[in-house]
Amino acid sequence: MNAGTPRKPVHLAVYDTLADWEPGHATAHLARAGWEIRTVGPSTAPVTSIGGLRVQPDLALADVHPEDSALLILPGADLWDTGDDLVPFARTARAFLDAGVPVAAICGATAGLAREGLLDDRDHTSAVSFYLAATGYAGAARYVETDAVTDGNLVTAGPTEPVAFAREVLRLLGVYEGEVLDAWYRLFHDSDPSAYAVLEEAGAL
């Protein structure tokens, strides 16, 4: 990014049954690092998360375009597995990836991407391998048993790994790297007090 060039916002998908806890570390620390977070719903009508939080989307999905975004984050939700309501979000993820714009998907959103064919040729992970296998996708050979995976511009993770998910997002967008990123992960995932000194010195707290 050239000096003086405005930073594009990060778009966070929000929909009914959104899993509140999954994108929180990523969005909070992106925001603290100066990134604008814009919420994107099926429309601009309010949605309600699993935890009962009522979210008023900033934008409707139809108004979000890859060229105007730094990243699309797709959290899990019950709706990913109970019908076709969220298929438009998976199709938008395809448009983002085709345009070279990153996408980060966690939990049920990985199944949505699998159904869209976006995991057939990319390394990825999810909750468990058989969860994705149930979608009938063709990417089982690229499944990786680990906390989170980045393959090119795509981040995937399972529902129990919001910190690892955030780590990969922060790495992908260049927020933290190397020793600082490792310390960030150790602090928020492992409660390692020795990580404080590294983060304080780097101005990352």
Side-chain angles (χ1 to χ4, degrees):
M1 187 186 305
N2 295 326
T5 301
R7 180 184 280 165
K8 295 178 181 179
V10 169
H11 289 94
L12 170 66
V14 295
Y15 19 69
D16 285 332
T17 71
L18 161 74
D20 318 59
W21 64 93
E22 293 175 349
H25 283 85
T27 55
H29 289 274
L30 285 171
R32 292 192 72 171
W35 296 78
E36 179 187 6
I37 310 296
R38 305 207 74 195
T39 52
V40 181
S43 69
T44 55
V47 300
T48 304
S49 74
I50 289 175
L53 298 181
R54 191 169 183 269
V55 181
Q56 178 79 56
D58 297 313
L59 297 166
L61 184 62
D63 296 323
V64 176
H65 308 288
E67 61 270 23
D68 300 323
S69 183
L71 169 71
L72 175 64
I73 299 177
L74 298 174
D78 292 345
L79 287 180
W80 283 111
D81 296 318
T82 57
D84 297 330
D85 290 354
L86 301 187
V87 167
F89 285 90
R91 291 177 179 158
T92 298
R94 176 181 291 282
F96 269 61
L97 292 170
D98 286 348
V101 180
V103 173
I106 183 169
C107 189
T110 63
L113 299 193
R115 295 185 189 98
E116 186 65 18
L118 297 175
L119 304 185
D120 290 351
D121 300 309
R122 294 176 172 93
D123 289 345
H124 59 277
T125 193
S126 184
V128 288
S129 60
F130 56 81
Y131 170 63
L132 291 187
T135 68
Y137 83 133
R142 302 295 295 268
Y143 189 90
V144 183
E145 292 282 1
T146 191
D147 55 8
V149 172
T150 299
D151 187 331
N153 281 329
L154 178 64
V155 173
T156 52
T160 61
E161 297 294 346
V163 180
F165 180 67
R167 178 196 65 206
E168 296 305 299
V169 167
L170 297 173
R171 188 204 315 273
L172 190 62
L173 293 186
V175 177
Y176 305 133
E177 57 187 19
E179 182 184 17
V180 175
L181 182 64
D182 177 67
W184 181 90
Y185 181 75
R186 287 189 289 109
L187 178 61
F188 288 98
H189 187 268
D190 303 326
S191 300
D192 182 352
S194 70
Y196 274 106
V198 176
L199 295 174
E200 285 181 340
E201 183 176 353
L205 285 177

